[in-house]
mmCIF file of all heavy atoms in Angstrom:
data_model
loop_
_atom_site.group_PDB
_atom_site.id
_atom_site.type_symbol
_atom_site.label_atom_id
_atom_site.label_comp_id
_atom_site.label_asym_id
_atom_site.label_seq_id
_atom_site.Cartn_x
_atom_site.Cartn_y
_atom_site.Cartn_z
ATOM 1 N N PRO A 1435 15.102 12.800 -31.990
ATOM 2 C CA PRO A 1435 14.291 13.148 -33.166
ATOM 3 C C PRO A 1435 12.872 13.331 -32.799
ATOM 4 O O PRO A 1435 12.280 12.699 -31.753
ATOM 5 C CB PRO A 1435 14.388 11.885 -34.013
ATOM 6 C CG PRO A 1435 15.629 11.109 -33.545
ATOM 7 C CD PRO A 1435 15.777 11.473 -32.098
ATOM 8 N N ASP A 1436 12.114 14.279 -33.391
ATOM 9 C CA ASP A 1436 10.628 14.388 -33.238
ATOM 10 C C ASP A 1436 10.007 13.152 -33.418
ATOM 11 O O ASP A 1436 10.335 12.276 -34.265
ATOM 12 C CB ASP A 1436 10.211 15.412 -34.113
ATOM 13 C CG ASP A 1436 10.780 16.887 -33.829
ATOM 14 O OD1 ASP A 1436 11.158 17.076 -32.803
ATOM 15 O OD2 ASP A 1436 10.621 17.735 -34.851
ATOM 16 N N GLY A 1437 9.021 12.935 -32.479
ATOM 17 C CA GLY A 1437 8.263 11.666 -32.573
ATOM 18 C C GLY A 1437 8.756 10.490 -31.667
ATOM 19 O O GLY A 1437 8.139 9.379 -31.591
ATOM 20 N N SER A 1438 10.093 10.675 -31.205
ATOM 21 C CA SER A 1438 10.616 9.597 -30.411
ATOM 22 C C SER A 1438 10.217 9.791 -28.904
ATOM 23 O O SER A 1438 9.823 10.880 -28.446
ATOM 24 C CB SER A 1438 12.237 9.715 -30.393
ATOM 25 O OG SER A 1438 12.756 9.381 -31.687
ATOM 26 N N ARG A 1439 10.154 8.651 -28.143
ATOM 27 C CA ARG A 1439 9.858 8.823 -26.816
ATOM 28 C C ARG A 1439 11.050 9.561 -26.009
ATOM 29 O O ARG A 1439 12.139 9.549 -26.528
ATOM 30 C CB ARG A 1439 9.732 7.400 -26.113
ATOM 31 C CG ARG A 1439 8.475 6.738 -26.458
ATOM 32 C CD ARG A 1439 8.248 5.500 -25.363
ATOM 33 N NE ARG A 1439 7.800 6.129 -24.076
ATOM 34 C CZ ARG A 1439 7.453 5.487 -23.081
ATOM 35 N NH1 ARG A 1439 7.679 4.059 -23.063
ATOM 36 N NH2 ARG A 1439 7.156 6.011 -21.974
ATOM 37 N N ARG A 1440 10.625 10.157 -24.939
ATOM 38 C CA ARG A 1440 11.644 11.020 -24.326
ATOM 39 C C ARG A 1440 12.108 10.367 -23.079
ATOM 40 O O ARG A 1440 11.374 10.267 -21.999
ATOM 41 C CB ARG A 1440 11.047 12.411 -23.851
ATOM 42 C CG ARG A 1440 10.345 13.100 -25.048
ATOM 43 C CD ARG A 1440 11.318 13.750 -26.003
ATOM 44 N NE ARG A 1440 10.833 14.097 -27.260
ATOM 45 C CZ ARG A 1440 11.481 14.755 -28.202
ATOM 46 N NH1 ARG A 1440 12.714 15.222 -27.865
ATOM 47 N NH2 ARG A 1440 10.917 15.063 -29.278
ATOM 48 N N TRP A 1441 13.455 9.789 -23.167
ATOM 49 C CA TRP A 1441 13.919 9.089 -22.039
ATOM 50 C C TRP A 1441 15.440 9.176 -22.047
ATOM 51 O O TRP A 1441 16.031 9.474 -22.893
ATOM 52 C CB TRP A 1441 13.527 7.617 -22.059
ATOM 53 C CG TRP A 1441 13.822 6.834 -23.316
ATOM 54 C CD1 TRP A 1441 13.249 6.665 -24.557
ATOM 55 C CD2 TRP A 1441 15.160 6.188 -23.409
ATOM 56 N NE1 TRP A 1441 13.923 5.899 -25.444
ATOM 57 C CE2 TRP A 1441 15.080 5.600 -24.720
ATOM 58 C CE3 TRP A 1441 16.270 5.879 -22.724
ATOM 59 C CZ2 TRP A 1441 16.132 4.773 -25.369
ATOM 60 C CZ3 TRP A 1441 17.379 5.073 -23.204
ATOM 61 C CH2 TRP A 1441 17.264 4.568 -24.595
ATOM 62 N N ILE A 1442 15.861 8.832 -20.861
ATOM 63 C CA ILE A 1442 17.359 8.736 -20.642
ATOM 64 C C ILE A 1442 17.681 7.783 -19.600
ATOM 65 O O ILE A 1442 16.996 7.697 -18.514
ATOM 66 C CB ILE A 1442 18.048 10.156 -20.419
ATOM 67 C CG1 ILE A 1442 19.661 9.986 -20.577
ATOM 68 C CG2 ILE A 1442 17.574 10.688 -19.062
ATOM 69 C CD1 ILE A 1442 20.212 11.432 -20.614
ATOM 70 N N ALA A 1443 18.771 6.963 -19.622
ATOM 71 C CA ALA A 1443 19.160 5.978 -18.642
ATOM 72 C C ALA A 1443 20.595 5.754 -18.495
ATOM 73 O O ALA A 1443 21.460 6.229 -19.451
ATOM 74 C CB ALA A 1443 18.540 4.597 -19.121
ATOM 75 N N ALA A 1444 20.923 5.451 -17.302
ATOM 76 C CA ALA A 1444 22.429 5.073 -16.972
ATOM 77 C C ALA A 1444 22.369 3.601 -16.443
ATOM 78 O O ALA A 1444 21.892 3.393 -15.423
ATOM 79 C CB ALA A 1444 22.957 6.049 -15.938
ATOM 80 N N LEU A 1445 22.987 2.728 -17.312
ATOM 81 C CA LEU A 1445 22.868 1.225 -17.043
ATOM 82 C C LEU A 1445 24.251 0.723 -16.734
ATOM 83 O O LEU A 1445 25.327 1.063 -17.386
ATOM 84 C CB LEU A 1445 22.255 0.590 -18.267
ATOM 85 C CG LEU A 1445 20.883 1.125 -18.770
ATOM 86 C CD1 LEU A 1445 20.440 0.134 -19.805
ATOM 87 C CD2 LEU A 1445 19.880 1.166 -17.543
ATOM 88 N N ASP A 1446 24.369 -0.213 -15.740
ATOM 89 C CA ASP A 1446 25.549 -0.835 -15.329
ATOM 90 C C ASP A 1446 25.958 -1.869 -16.244
ATOM 91 O O ASP A 1446 25.172 -2.271 -17.135
ATOM 92 C CB ASP A 1446 25.596 -1.085 -13.862
ATOM 93 C CG ASP A 1446 24.558 -2.254 -13.507
ATOM 94 O OD1 ASP A 1446 23.989 -2.902 -14.438
ATOM 95 O OD2 ASP A 1446 24.276 -2.266 -12.163
ATOM 96 N N GLY A 1447 27.101 -2.695 -15.815
ATOM 97 C CA GLY A 1447 27.387 -3.816 -16.585
ATOM 98 C C GLY A 1447 26.440 -4.920 -16.655
ATOM 99 O O GLY A 1447 26.461 -5.784 -17.627
ATOM 100 N N GLY A 1448 25.408 -5.062 -15.736
ATOM 101 C CA GLY A 1448 24.475 -5.980 -15.757
ATOM 102 C C GLY A 1448 23.223 -5.453 -16.580
ATOM 103 O O GLY A 1448 22.091 -6.157 -16.592
ATOM 104 N N GLY A 1449 23.311 -4.256 -17.171
ATOM 105 C CA GLY A 1449 22.117 -3.899 -17.968
ATOM 106 C C GLY A 1449 21.108 -3.198 -17.193
ATOM 107 O O GLY A 1449 19.975 -2.940 -17.660
ATOM 108 N N GLN A 1450 21.398 -2.762 -15.950
ATOM 109 C CA GLN A 1450 20.415 -2.310 -15.080
ATOM 110 C C GLN A 1450 20.821 -0.814 -14.457
ATOM 111 O O GLN A 1450 21.998 -0.545 -14.400
ATOM 112 C CB GLN A 1450 20.140 -3.095 -13.741
ATOM 113 C CG GLN A 1450 19.631 -4.550 -14.175
ATOM 114 C CD GLN A 1450 19.094 -5.241 -12.948
ATOM 115 O OE1 GLN A 1450 19.579 -5.045 -11.839
ATOM 116 N NE2 GLN A 1450 18.343 -6.254 -13.193
ATOM 117 N N GLY A 1451 19.841 0.081 -14.185
ATOM 118 C CA GLY A 1451 20.120 1.357 -13.673
ATOM 119 C C GLY A 1451 18.862 2.129 -13.692
ATOM 120 O O GLY A 1451 17.810 1.798 -14.096
ATOM 121 N N LEU A 1452 19.092 3.459 -13.362
ATOM 122 C CA LEU A 1452 17.982 4.465 -13.483
ATOM 123 C C LEU A 1452 17.621 4.834 -14.714
ATOM 124 O O LEU A 1452 18.395 4.991 -15.669
ATOM 125 C CB LEU A 1452 18.330 5.611 -12.547
ATOM 126 C CG LEU A 1452 17.232 6.581 -12.502
ATOM 127 C CD1 LEU A 1452 16.179 6.333 -11.355
ATOM 128 C CD2 LEU A 1452 17.656 7.941 -12.469
ATOM 129 N N VAL A 1453 16.250 4.856 -15.030
ATOM 130 C CA VAL A 1453 15.758 5.412 -16.244
ATOM 131 C C VAL A 1453 14.755 6.678 -15.785
ATOM 132 O O VAL A 1453 14.059 6.456 -14.852
ATOM 133 C CB VAL A 1453 14.953 4.555 -17.180
ATOM 134 C CG1 VAL A 1453 13.729 3.980 -16.496
ATOM 135 C CG2 VAL A 1453 14.737 5.128 -18.506
ATOM 136 N N GLN A 1454 14.792 7.770 -16.577
ATOM 137 C CA GLN A 1454 13.864 8.866 -16.412
ATOM 138 C C GLN A 1454 13.180 8.914 -17.847
ATOM 139 O O GLN A 1454 13.855 8.965 -18.879
ATOM 140 C CB GLN A 1454 14.523 10.150 -16.057
ATOM 141 C CG GLN A 1454 13.649 11.314 -15.802
ATOM 142 C CD GLN A 1454 13.239 12.110 -17.057
ATOM 143 O OE1 GLN A 1454 13.584 11.738 -18.194
ATOM 144 N NE2 GLN A 1454 12.488 13.148 -16.803
ATOM 145 N N VAL A 1455 11.911 8.984 -17.802
ATOM 146 C CA VAL A 1455 11.083 8.936 -18.992
ATOM 147 C C VAL A 1455 9.881 10.080 -18.753
ATOM 148 O O VAL A 1455 9.476 10.181 -17.644
ATOM 149 C CB VAL A 1455 10.628 7.749 -19.449
ATOM 150 C CG1 VAL A 1455 9.783 6.938 -18.351
ATOM 151 C CG2 VAL A 1455 9.915 7.749 -20.767
ATOM 152 N N SER A 1456 9.492 10.581 -19.777
ATOM 153 C CA SER A 1456 8.401 11.620 -19.531
ATOM 154 C C SER A 1456 7.456 11.643 -20.800
ATOM 155 O O SER A 1456 7.615 11.143 -21.848
ATOM 156 C CB SER A 1456 9.004 13.041 -19.338
ATOM 157 O OG SER A 1456 9.528 13.500 -20.599
#
Side-chain angles (χ1 to χ4, degrees):
D1436 291 341
S1438 298
R1439 287 200 73 181
R1440 306 289 165 169
W1441 59 269
I1442 189 168
L1445 305 183
D1446 64 14
Q1450 297 189 342
L1452 181 88
V1453 65
Q1454 188 272 3
V1455 57
S1456 73

